[in-house]
Amino acid sequence: MKAVVAAAVAVLLSAQAAPSTVLIKAARVIDGQSDRVIAPGAILVRDDQIVQVGSAIASPQDARVIDLGDATITPGLIDLHTHLTDREDLHWEDVLVKTTPGQAALAGARNARVTLLAGFTTCRDMGPTWPYVDVDLRGAIDSGMVPGPRLAVAGNYVSATGGAGDARQFSIYVDVPIVQNLADSADEVVKAVRTNFKHGADFIKILVTGAVLSKGLPPGAQQYSEEEIRAAVTEARRWGREVAAHAHGIDGIKAAIRAGVRTVDHGSYLDDEAVGMLKSARSTFFVPTLYTTAAIDETGADRGIPAAEIERSRQIRQVKESAFRRALAAGVPIGFGTDAAVIPHGRNAREFGERVRLGESPMRAIQSATRINAEILGWSDRIGTLEPGKLADIIAVSGNPLSDISAMERVRFVMKGGQIHRLEGTGF
Ligand SMILES: [Zn+2]
């Protein structure tokens, strides 16, 4: 027993006080950039940066050597659509009347850690229900107070009154005046964008159509005009920032692409014309969230999702899957997102299996969650590939994901910015 405790303490110490030079070896390296597999593979890390990637790297005298055996090293994974401060067991429309921002912050700390240990070293967080809790979570992670992915945060997502992001699904005699995320004209949208950036948001999330998990209009219905979306994009660009659009219905998708949003998230009803628009725009990307359907089907009822919303999810399954196949066939770059907490936090890598099942090659799926996502975020200079000079965001999974994509769910090693957070399945 004592020996076990001593071993656990040793792991904890090594996780906190990593030596400045680390040589990581494994059976394979996928670098996120090229289609080649380096086998065997090795990566040399000094402080927070990658120094060398190759097959045979001589170990410097001062290096700590970590040999992961039959594992595959990839860049740290990126999820472009999370809600880290949301809980899986509570419908988001109940959050304002049944919980506190403090609870959301604590849940966020827990979920950030779980997500990091699942190999996701960066997330674009699409917003809390209690505004700006994600800004505080980002600050706590950046300062080292709690472990978690690098975050880009939405702050306070922008919705039409009665729209997909209007959480006030309760009696008209009840209000939560502190929460102000509704905007109903181009002018109000501009005000909402400025308020978001004033309070620390990195980008704007705008809900341009109905949603699956909502009592409002169905997912196919458009809720913001092109003019209103364009107002958000124009103002965000003045701040040097981008807009992410929640969009299921095709009219909303096209309005969002024409208005110049960075991402069309979910994109369930994407048609050939919209794919053509993405192809020629080149600056707008499709971020599907495919595993949500199975997750809602399997666990939705236990998690308090109303039957009508589970039915909404089932109804768009086919259309969602053909949207993904359509984008894949057209060869447009596709981003990678999950919508956790709609799926359980920490199971983000299940999305890989859905994508491969629908025809994407494992290599393309891994590149989507690494290099392409980094490009979409505008963070390619720092993360997304394993190259000298990039931040040492490195993970390893057991076995070979190119022959069995579920390997992406068996994470053995997580390093973020040179700091080891997981080694051989042992977390903090
Ligand atoms: Zn979402």
Side-chain angles (χ1 to χ4, degrees):
M1 186 62 201
K2 254 184 186 165
V4 172
V5 173
V9 169
V11 167
L12 191 63
L13 288 177
S14 67
Q16 285 171 343
S20 60
T21 304
V22 182
L23 180 65
I24 310 155
K25 296 175 166 183
R28 290 161 291 275
V29 170
I30 292 171
D31 66 11
Q33 182 71 41
S34 65
D35 287 345
R36 74 192 166 131
V37 178
I38 307 168
I43 301 187
L44 186 63
V45 172
R46 189 160 295 131
D47 298 328
D48 65 344
Q49 285 193 359
I50 296 168
V51 176
Q52 200 181 343
V53 182
S55 205
I57 299 175
S59 175
Q61 263 193 343
D62 62 338
R64 173 183 177 188
V65 179
I66 298 172
D67 192 338
L68 296 167
D70 183 28
T72 304
I73 294 173
T74 76
L77 305 173
I78 304 170
D79 188 331
L80 287 184
H81 197 127
T82 61
H83 300 275
L84 290 175
T85 58
D86 281 359
R87 286 160 42 172
E88 301 101 331
D89 60 344
L90 188 71
H91 197 291
W92 68 278
E93 286 169 348
D94 291 331
V95 165
L96 296 185
V97 285
K98 292 186 178 166
T99 72
T100 64
Q103 289 172 337
L106 290 165
R110 179 261 179 199
N111 298 334
R113 176 179 172 276
V114 164
T115 304
L116 177 66
L117 296 184
F120 287 79
T121 50
T122 299
C123 292
R124 187 181 65 167
D125 200 74
M126 296 290 274
T129 308
W130 286 110
Y132 305 114
V133 177
D134 55 354
V135 173
D136 294 330
L137 180 62
R138 182 193 64 199
I141 291 170
D142 287 349
S143 70
M145 197 187 298
V146 297
R150 301 176 195 288
L151 294 186
V153 300
N156 191 13
Y157 48 69
V158 182
S159 169
T161 296
D166 188 347
R168 295 161 188 74
Q169 305 293 334
F170 27 80
S171 160
I172 57 164
Y173 300 99
V174 176
D175 194 13
V176 185
I178 195 86
V179 176
Q180 297 186 2
N181 70 318
L182 305 180
D184 291 304
S185 65
D187 287 349
E188 287 190 13
V189 166
V190 170
K191 178 90 172 171
V193 169
R194 290 175 180 165
T195 307
N196 258 286
F197 292 149
K198 172 185 171 183
H199 292 302
D202 296 302
F203 68 97
I204 297 299
K205 179 194 180 181
I206 188 166
L207 294 105
V208 310
T209 72
V212 173
L213 301 184
S214 172
K215 294 182 186 70
L217 285 172
Q222 185 173 352
Q223 296 187 319
Y224 269 128
S225 68
E226 186 179 327
E227 184 205 356
E228 288 167 315
I229 306 165
R230 196 183 301 280
V233 172
T234 304
E235 185 57 29
R237 293 254 169 90
R238 290 197 181 107
W239 295 70
R241 300 182 200 174
E242 301 280 1
V243 175
H246 156 109
H248 289 282
I250 189 59
D251 296 335
I253 289 172
K254 287 176 184 169
I257 299 171
R258 280 194 294 265
V261 303
R262 186 63 171 167
T263 56
V264 169
D265 288 67
H266 314 303
S268 304
Y269 289 86
L270 197 76
D271 65 8
D272 285 332
E273 191 190 359
V275 170
M277 289 164 71
L278 289 176
K279 232 179 175 171
S280 51
R282 286 169 179 266
S283 53
T284 300
F285 298 86
F286 170 43
V287 182
T289 52
L290 299 162
Y291 173 49
T292 51
T293 312
I296 291 169
D297 238 18
E298 286 161 16
T299 64
D302 297 339
R303 296 196 281 131
I305 297 177
E309 296 175 21
I310 293 174
E311 188 49 37
R312 275 188 181 195
S313 171
R314 284 185 187 142
Q315 280 171 3
I316 63 166
R317 176 173 210 140
Q318 294 298 328
V319 80
K320 266 176 80 174
E321 295 191 352
S322 38
F324 178 73
R325 285 202 179 97
R326 189 171 280 130
L328 199 60
V332 292
I334 302 173
F336 185 101
T338 64
D339 216 1
V342 176
I343 66 148
H345 294 286
R347 290 211 206 136
N348 314 56
R350 280 282 295 273
E351 182 75 10
F352 285 106
E354 293 296 304
R355 295 189 41 158
V356 170
R357 178 176 68 78
L358 294 171
E360 189 169 38
S361 76
M363 183 62 93
R364 287 277 173 278
I366 292 168
Q367 288 169 351
S368 165
T370 55
R371 174 173 52 82
I372 291 170
N373 272 4
E375 282 169 18
I376 293 171
L377 272 173
W379 291 1
S380 295
D381 57 333
R382 280 163 280 167
I383 59 168
T385 58
L386 300 175
E387 291 175 278
K390 292 249 172 122
L391 287 172
D393 286 7
I394 300 165
I395 70 154
V397 300
S398 287
N400 184 357
L402 301 182
S403 51
D404 174 10
I405 194 64
S406 72
M408 297 306 291
E409 297 167 49
R410 293 187 289 277
V411 174
R412 289 180 56 188
F413 175 78
V414 176
M415 173 183 269
K416 178 190 154 204
Q419 191 182 356
I420 297 167
H421 289 272
R422 180 171 197 161
L423 181 57
E424 297 282 349
T426 311
F428 282 109

Short mmCIF file of all heavy atoms in Angstrom, two decimals, residues 197-244:
data_model
loop_
_atom_site.label_atom_id
_atom_site.label_comp_id
_atom_site.label_asym_id
_atom_site.label_seq_id
_atom_site.Cartn_x
_atom_site.Cartn_y
_atom_site.Cartn_z
N PHE A 197 -17.13 42.02 -25.99
CA PHE A 197 -15.68 42.24 -26.04
C PHE A 197 -15.21 43.06 -24.85
O PHE A 197 -14.12 42.83 -24.32
CB PHE A 197 -15.29 42.89 -27.38
CG PHE A 197 -15.47 41.95 -28.55
CD1 PHE A 197 -15.80 42.44 -29.82
CD2 PHE A 197 -15.32 40.58 -28.40
CE1 PHE A 197 -15.97 41.58 -30.89
CE2 PHE A 197 -15.49 39.71 -29.47
CZ PHE A 197 -15.81 40.21 -30.72
N LYS A 198 -16.04 44.01 -24.41
CA LYS A 198 -15.70 44.78 -23.21
C LYS A 198 -15.45 43.85 -22.02
O LYS A 198 -14.55 44.07 -21.23
CB LYS A 198 -16.85 45.75 -22.88
CG LYS A 198 -16.70 46.46 -21.54
CD LYS A 198 -17.92 47.32 -21.23
CE LYS A 198 -17.84 47.85 -19.80
NZ LYS A 198 -19.03 48.63 -19.44
N HIS A 199 -16.25 42.78 -21.93
CA HIS A 199 -16.16 41.90 -20.76
C HIS A 199 -15.29 40.67 -20.99
O HIS A 199 -15.32 39.73 -20.20
CB HIS A 199 -17.57 41.48 -20.32
CG HIS A 199 -18.37 42.62 -19.76
ND1 HIS A 199 -17.94 43.37 -18.68
CD2 HIS A 199 -19.54 43.16 -20.14
CE1 HIS A 199 -18.84 44.31 -18.42
NE2 HIS A 199 -19.82 44.22 -19.29
N GLY A 200 -14.54 40.64 -22.09
CA GLY A 200 -13.50 39.60 -22.19
C GLY A 200 -13.75 38.47 -23.16
O GLY A 200 -12.97 37.51 -23.18
N ALA A 201 -14.82 38.53 -23.97
CA ALA A 201 -15.03 37.46 -24.96
C ALA A 201 -13.94 37.51 -26.03
O ALA A 201 -13.44 38.58 -26.38
CB ALA A 201 -16.40 37.60 -25.60
N ASP A 202 -13.57 36.33 -26.54
CA ASP A 202 -12.57 36.25 -27.62
C ASP A 202 -13.22 36.30 -28.99
O ASP A 202 -12.56 36.61 -29.99
CB ASP A 202 -11.79 34.94 -27.51
CG ASP A 202 -10.98 34.86 -26.23
OD1 ASP A 202 -10.14 35.76 -26.02
OD2 ASP A 202 -11.21 33.93 -25.44
N PHE A 203 -14.47 35.89 -29.07
CA PHE A 203 -15.21 35.87 -30.34
C PHE A 203 -16.69 35.96 -30.00
O PHE A 203 -17.07 35.93 -28.83
CB PHE A 203 -14.90 34.57 -31.12
CG PHE A 203 -15.45 33.33 -30.48
CD1 PHE A 203 -16.65 32.79 -30.89
CD2 PHE A 203 -14.78 32.71 -29.42
CE1 PHE A 203 -17.17 31.65 -30.28
CE2 PHE A 203 -15.30 31.58 -28.80
CZ PHE A 203 -16.49 31.05 -29.25
N ILE A 204 -17.52 36.07 -31.04
CA ILE A 204 -18.96 36.18 -30.82
C ILE A 204 -19.64 34.90 -31.28
O ILE A 204 -19.38 34.40 -32.38
CB ILE A 204 -19.53 37.37 -31.63
CG1 ILE A 204 -18.93 38.69 -31.13
CG2 ILE A 204 -21.07 37.39 -31.57
CD1 ILE A 204 -19.20 39.02 -29.68
N LYS A 205 -20.52 34.38 -30.43
CA LYS A 205 -21.39 33.30 -30.88
C LYS A 205 -22.79 33.88 -31.06
O LYS A 205 -23.33 34.52 -30.16
CB LYS A 205 -21.46 32.17 -29.86
CG LYS A 205 -22.42 31.06 -30.36
CD LYS A 205 -22.79 30.08 -29.29
CE LYS A 205 -23.72 29.02 -29.85
NZ LYS A 205 -24.13 28.06 -28.82
N ILE A 206 -23.34 33.65 -32.23
CA ILE A 206 -24.67 34.14 -32.53
C ILE A 206 -25.53 32.96 -32.98
O ILE A 206 -25.06 32.10 -33.72
CB ILE A 206 -24.61 35.27 -33.59
CG1 ILE A 206 -25.97 35.93 -33.79
CG2 ILE A 206 -24.05 34.79 -34.92
CD1 ILE A 206 -25.88 37.26 -34.55
N LEU A 207 -26.76 32.89 -32.49
CA LEU A 207 -27.63 31.77 -32.83
C LEU A 207 -28.58 32.21 -33.93
O LEU A 207 -29.50 32.99 -33.68
CB LEU A 207 -28.38 31.28 -31.60
CG LEU A 207 -27.44 30.66 -30.54
CD1 LEU A 207 -27.24 31.59 -29.38
CD2 LEU A 207 -27.94 29.30 -30.09
N VAL A 208 -28.34 31.75 -35.14
CA VAL A 208 -29.09 32.29 -36.28
C VAL A 208 -30.29 31.43 -36.68
O VAL A 208 -31.10 31.87 -37.50
CB VAL A 208 -28.18 32.55 -37.50
CG1 VAL A 208 -26.96 33.36 -37.10
CG2 VAL A 208 -27.75 31.29 -38.20
N THR A 209 -30.41 30.23 -36.11
CA THR A 209 -31.60 29.40 -36.37
C THR A 209 -32.07 28.78 -35.06
O THR A 209 -31.40 28.90 -34.03
CB THR A 209 -31.30 28.23 -37.34
OG1 THR A 209 -30.49 27.25 -36.64
CG2 THR A 209 -30.58 28.68 -38.60
N GLY A 210 -33.19 28.09 -35.13
CA GLY A 210 -33.68 27.32 -33.99
C GLY A 210 -32.69 26.23 -33.61
O GLY A 210 -31.68 26.02 -34.28
N ALA A 211 -33.02 25.55 -32.49
CA ALA A 211 -32.10 24.54 -31.96
C ALA A 211 -32.83 23.22 -31.74
O ALA A 211 -34.06 23.17 -31.74
CB ALA A 211 -31.48 25.03 -30.65
N VAL A 212 -32.03 22.18 -31.51
CA VAL A 212 -32.59 20.86 -31.20
C VAL A 212 -33.10 20.85 -29.76
O VAL A 212 -34.25 20.50 -29.49
CB VAL A 212 -31.53 19.76 -31.41
CG1 VAL A 212 -32.04 18.41 -30.92
CG2 VAL A 212 -31.14 19.68 -32.89
N LEU A 213 -32.25 21.28 -28.83
CA LEU A 213 -32.61 21.22 -27.41
C LEU A 213 -33.24 22.54 -26.96
O LEU A 213 -32.69 23.28 -26.16
CB LEU A 213 -31.37 20.90 -26.57
CG LEU A 213 -30.68 19.58 -26.90
CD1 LEU A 213 -29.54 19.32 -25.93
CD2 LEU A 213 -31.66 18.41 -26.87
N SER A 214 -34.42 22.82 -27.52
CA SER A 214 -35.08 24.07 -27.21
C SER A 214 -36.58 23.94 -27.46
O SER A 214 -37.01 23.15 -28.29
CB SER A 214 -34.49 25.18 -28.10
OG SER A 214 -35.24 26.37 -27.96
N LYS A 215 -37.34 24.74 -26.72
CA LYS A 215 -38.78 24.73 -26.93
C LYS A 215 -39.19 25.68 -28.04
O LYS A 215 -40.33 25.69 -28.46
CB LYS A 215 -39.50 25.14 -25.64
CG LYS A 215 -39.33 24.17 -24.51
CD LYS A 215 -40.11 24.65 -23.28
CE LYS A 215 -39.82 23.75 -22.09
NZ LYS A 215 -38.44 23.92 -21.58
N GLY A 216 -38.27 26.53 -28.47
CA GLY A 216 -38.60 27.55 -29.46
C GLY A 216 -38.82 26.96 -30.85
O GLY A 216 -39.10 25.77 -31.02
N LEU A 217 -38.64 27.80 -31.87
CA LEU A 217 -38.82 27.35 -33.25
C LEU A 217 -37.91 26.15 -33.54
O LEU A 217 -36.86 26.00 -32.94
CB LEU A 217 -38.48 28.50 -34.21
CG LEU A 217 -39.54 29.60 -34.32
CD1 LEU A 217 -39.00 30.76 -35.15
CD2 LEU A 217 -40.82 29.06 -34.94
N PRO A 218 -38.32 25.31 -34.49
CA PRO A 218 -37.52 24.12 -34.80
C PRO A 218 -36.16 24.50 -35.41
O PRO A 218 -35.97 25.63 -35.86
CB PRO A 218 -38.38 23.36 -35.81
CG PRO A 218 -39.32 24.36 -36.36
CD PRO A 218 -39.54 25.38 -35.28
N PRO A 219 -35.22 23.53 -35.44
CA PRO A 219 -33.86 23.82 -35.90
C PRO A 219 -33.80 24.43 -37.30
O PRO A 219 -32.91 25.24 -37.59
CB PRO A 219 -33.18 22.44 -35.90
CG PRO A 219 -33.98 21.61 -34.97
CD PRO A 219 -35.36 22.14 -34.97
N GLY A 220 -34.77 24.08 -38.16
CA GLY A 220 -34.72 24.57 -39.53
C GLY A 220 -35.06 26.04 -39.68
O GLY A 220 -34.76 26.66 -40.71
N ALA A 221 -35.68 26.66 -38.67
CA ALA A 221 -36.19 28.03 -38.80
C ALA A 221 -35.08 29.07 -38.61
O ALA A 221 -34.28 28.98 -37.68
CB ALA A 221 -37.29 28.26 -37.79
N GLN A 222 -35.07 30.06 -39.49
CA GLN A 222 -34.10 31.16 -39.38
C GLN A 222 -34.57 32.14 -38.31
O GLN A 222 -35.75 32.47 -38.21
CB GLN A 222 -33.98 31.87 -40.73
CG GLN A 222 -32.91 32.95 -40.76
CD GLN A 222 -32.70 33.53 -42.14
OE1 GLN A 222 -33.24 33.03 -43.12
NE2 GLN A 222 -31.90 34.59 -42.23
N GLN A 223 -33.62 32.66 -37.49
CA GLN A 223 -34.01 33.57 -36.41
C GLN A 223 -33.28 34.92 -36.46
O GLN A 223 -33.64 35.83 -35.73
CB GLN A 223 -33.79 32.88 -35.06
CG GLN A 223 -34.71 31.67 -34.91
CD GLN A 223 -34.66 31.05 -33.53
OE1 GLN A 223 -33.60 30.93 -32.95
NE2 GLN A 223 -35.81 30.65 -33.03
N TYR A 224 -32.24 35.02 -37.25
CA TYR A 224 -31.61 36.31 -37.48
C TYR A 224 -31.55 36.56 -38.99
O TYR A 224 -31.27 35.65 -39.77
CB TYR A 224 -30.18 36.36 -36.92
CG TYR A 224 -30.08 36.85 -35.50
CD1 TYR A 224 -29.41 36.12 -34.53
CD2 TYR A 224 -30.66 38.06 -35.12
CE1 TYR A 224 -29.32 36.58 -33.22
CE2 TYR A 224 -30.58 38.52 -33.82
CZ TYR A 224 -29.91 37.77 -32.87
OH TYR A 224 -29.83 38.23 -31.58
N SER A 225 -31.80 37.82 -39.39
CA SER A 225 -31.69 38.18 -40.80
C SER A 225 -30.21 38.30 -41.17
O SER A 225 -29.34 38.45 -40.30
CB SER A 225 -32.38 39.52 -41.04
OG SER A 225 -31.63 40.56 -40.40
N GLU A 226 -29.95 38.25 -42.47
CA GLU A 226 -28.57 38.42 -42.94
C GLU A 226 -28.02 39.77 -42.46
O GLU A 226 -26.85 39.87 -42.08
CB GLU A 226 -28.55 38.33 -44.47
CG GLU A 226 -27.15 38.36 -45.03
CD GLU A 226 -27.16 38.25 -46.55
OE1 GLU A 226 -28.05 37.56 -47.09
OE2 GLU A 226 -26.28 38.85 -47.19
N GLU A 227 -28.87 40.79 -42.47
CA GLU A 227 -28.44 42.12 -42.03
C GLU A 227 -27.98 42.11 -40.57
O GLU A 227 -26.97 42.73 -40.21
CB GLU A 227 -29.61 43.10 -42.22
CG GLU A 227 -29.26 44.53 -41.90
CD GLU A 227 -30.49 45.36 -41.50
OE1 GLU A 227 -31.63 44.84 -41.55
OE2 GLU A 227 -30.30 46.53 -41.13
N GLU A 228 -28.72 41.41 -39.72
CA GLU A 228 -28.35 41.34 -38.30
C GLU A 228 -27.04 40.57 -38.11
O GLU A 228 -26.18 40.95 -37.31
CB GLU A 228 -29.49 40.69 -37.49
CG GLU A 228 -30.70 41.60 -37.35
CD GLU A 228 -31.93 40.85 -36.83
OE1 GLU A 228 -32.23 39.73 -37.33
OE2 GLU A 228 -32.62 41.38 -35.95
N ILE A 229 -26.89 39.47 -38.86
CA ILE A 229 -25.65 38.68 -38.74
C ILE A 229 -24.46 39.51 -39.24
O ILE A 229 -23.39 39.54 -38.63
CB ILE A 229 -25.75 37.36 -39.53
CG1 ILE A 229 -27.00 36.57 -39.13
CG2 ILE A 229 -24.50 36.51 -39.30
CD1 ILE A 229 -27.36 35.44 -40.09
N ARG A 230 -24.70 40.22 -40.36
CA ARG A 230 -23.63 41.05 -40.93
C ARG A 230 -23.21 42.16 -39.94
O ARG A 230 -22.03 42.51 -39.85
CB ARG A 230 -24.08 41.67 -42.25
CG ARG A 230 -22.93 42.22 -43.09
CD ARG A 230 -23.42 42.89 -44.36
NE ARG A 230 -24.19 42.01 -45.23
CZ ARG A 230 -23.64 41.12 -46.06
NH1 ARG A 230 -22.33 41.02 -46.14
NH2 ARG A 230 -24.39 40.34 -46.80
N ALA A 231 -24.18 42.68 -39.19
CA ALA A 231 -23.85 43.71 -38.19
C ALA A 231 -22.89 43.14 -37.16
O ALA A 231 -21.94 43.81 -36.74
CB ALA A 231 -25.13 44.21 -37.52
N ALA A 232 -23.11 41.88 -36.76
CA ALA A 232 -22.22 41.23 -35.79
C ALA A 232 -20.83 41.06 -36.39
O ALA A 232 -19.81 41.35 -35.74
CB ALA A 232 -22.79 39.88 -35.37
N VAL A 233 -20.78 40.59 -37.64
CA VAL A 233 -19.48 40.33 -38.29
C VAL A 233 -18.71 41.63 -38.48
O VAL A 233 -17.50 41.71 -38.17
CB VAL A 233 -19.68 39.62 -39.65
CG1 VAL A 233 -18.36 39.52 -40.41
CG2 VAL A 233 -20.29 38.23 -39.44
N THR A 234 -19.40 42.68 -38.95
CA THR A 234 -18.73 43.96 -39.20
C THR A 234 -18.14 44.53 -37.91
O THR A 234 -16.98 44.97 -37.88
CB THR A 234 -19.73 44.97 -39.81
OG1 THR A 234 -20.30 44.38 -40.98
CG2 THR A 234 -19.07 46.28 -40.17
N GLU A 235 -18.93 44.48 -36.84
CA GLU A 235 -18.43 45.03 -35.57
C GLU A 235 -17.30 44.17 -35.01
O GLU A 235 -16.28 44.69 -34.55
CB GLU A 235 -19.58 45.14 -34.55
CG GLU A 235 -19.19 45.82 -33.25
CD GLU A 235 -18.62 47.23 -33.44
OE1 GLU A 235 -18.98 47.91 -34.43
OE2 GLU A 235 -17.79 47.66 -32.60
N ALA A 236 -17.44 42.84 -35.10
CA ALA A 236 -16.38 41.95 -34.59
C ALA A 236 -15.08 42.20 -35.34
O ALA A 236 -14.00 42.24 -34.74
CB ALA A 236 -16.81 40.49 -34.71
N ARG A 237 -15.18 42.41 -36.66
CA ARG A 237 -13.96 42.64 -37.46
C ARG A 237 -13.25 43.91 -37.02
O ARG A 237 -12.03 44.00 -37.08
CB ARG A 237 -14.33 42.74 -38.94
CG ARG A 237 -14.83 41.42 -39.51
CD ARG A 237 -13.81 40.75 -40.41
NE ARG A 237 -14.21 39.40 -40.72
CZ ARG A 237 -14.96 39.06 -41.77
NH1 ARG A 237 -15.36 39.99 -42.62
NH2 ARG A 237 -15.29 37.80 -41.98
N ARG A 238 -14.03 44.92 -36.60
CA ARG A 238 -13.40 46.16 -36.10
C ARG A 238 -12.52 45.87 -34.90
O ARG A 238 -11.57 46.60 -34.64
CB ARG A 238 -14.48 47.18 -35.70
CG ARG A 238 -15.24 47.76 -36.88
CD ARG A 238 -15.98 49.05 -36.48
NE ARG A 238 -16.71 49.56 -37.62
CZ ARG A 238 -18.03 49.51 -37.77
NH1 ARG A 238 -18.79 49.01 -36.81
NH2 ARG A 238 -18.61 49.97 -38.85
N TRP A 239 -12.88 44.82 -34.16
CA TRP A 239 -12.09 44.43 -32.99
C TRP A 239 -11.04 43.38 -33.37
O TRP A 239 -10.35 42.85 -32.50
CB TRP A 239 -13.01 43.84 -31.91
CG TRP A 239 -14.00 44.80 -31.32
CD1 TRP A 239 -15.08 45.35 -31.92
CD2 TRP A 239 -13.98 45.32 -29.98
NE1 TRP A 239 -15.76 46.17 -31.05
CE2 TRP A 239 -15.11 46.17 -29.84
CE3 TRP A 239 -13.15 45.14 -28.87
CZ2 TRP A 239 -15.40 46.84 -28.65
CZ3 TRP A 239 -13.45 45.81 -27.69
CH2 TRP A 239 -14.57 46.66 -27.60
N GLY A 240 -10.99 43.04 -34.65
CA GLY A 240 -10.06 42.00 -35.10
C GLY A 240 -10.50 40.60 -34.70
O GLY A 240 -9.66 39.72 -34.52
N ARG A 241 -11.79 40.40 -34.56
CA ARG A 241 -12.28 39.10 -34.06
C ARG A 241 -13.34 38.52 -34.99
O ARG A 241 -13.76 39.17 -35.95
CB ARG A 241 -12.81 39.25 -32.64
CG ARG A 241 -11.68 39.73 -31.75
CD ARG A 241 -12.06 39.88 -30.31
NE ARG A 241 -11.10 40.78 -29.65
CZ ARG A 241 -11.21 41.20 -28.42
NH1 ARG A 241 -12.22 40.80 -27.68
NH2 ARG A 241 -10.31 42.01 -27.90
N GLU A 242 -13.79 37.33 -34.67
CA GLU A 242 -14.65 36.56 -35.57
C GLU A 242 -15.99 36.23 -34.93
O GLU A 242 -16.17 36.36 -33.72
CB GLU A 242 -13.95 35.25 -35.95
CG GLU A 242 -12.60 35.43 -36.63
CD GLU A 242 -12.71 35.77 -38.11
OE1 GLU A 242 -13.86 35.89 -38.62
OE2 GLU A 242 -11.65 35.92 -38.76
N VAL A 243 -16.89 35.75 -35.78
CA VAL A 243 -18.22 35.34 -35.34
C VAL A 243 -18.44 33.87 -35.66
O VAL A 243 -18.15 33.43 -36.78
CB VAL A 243 -19.31 36.19 -36.04
CG1 VAL A 243 -20.71 35.69 -35.68
CG2 VAL A 243 -19.17 37.66 -35.67
N ALA A 244 -18.95 33.13 -34.70
CA ALA A 244 -19.33 31.73 -34.91
C ALA A 244 -20.85 31.66 -34.89
O ALA A 244 -21.48 32.20 -33.98
CB ALA A 244 -18.76 30.85 -33.81
#
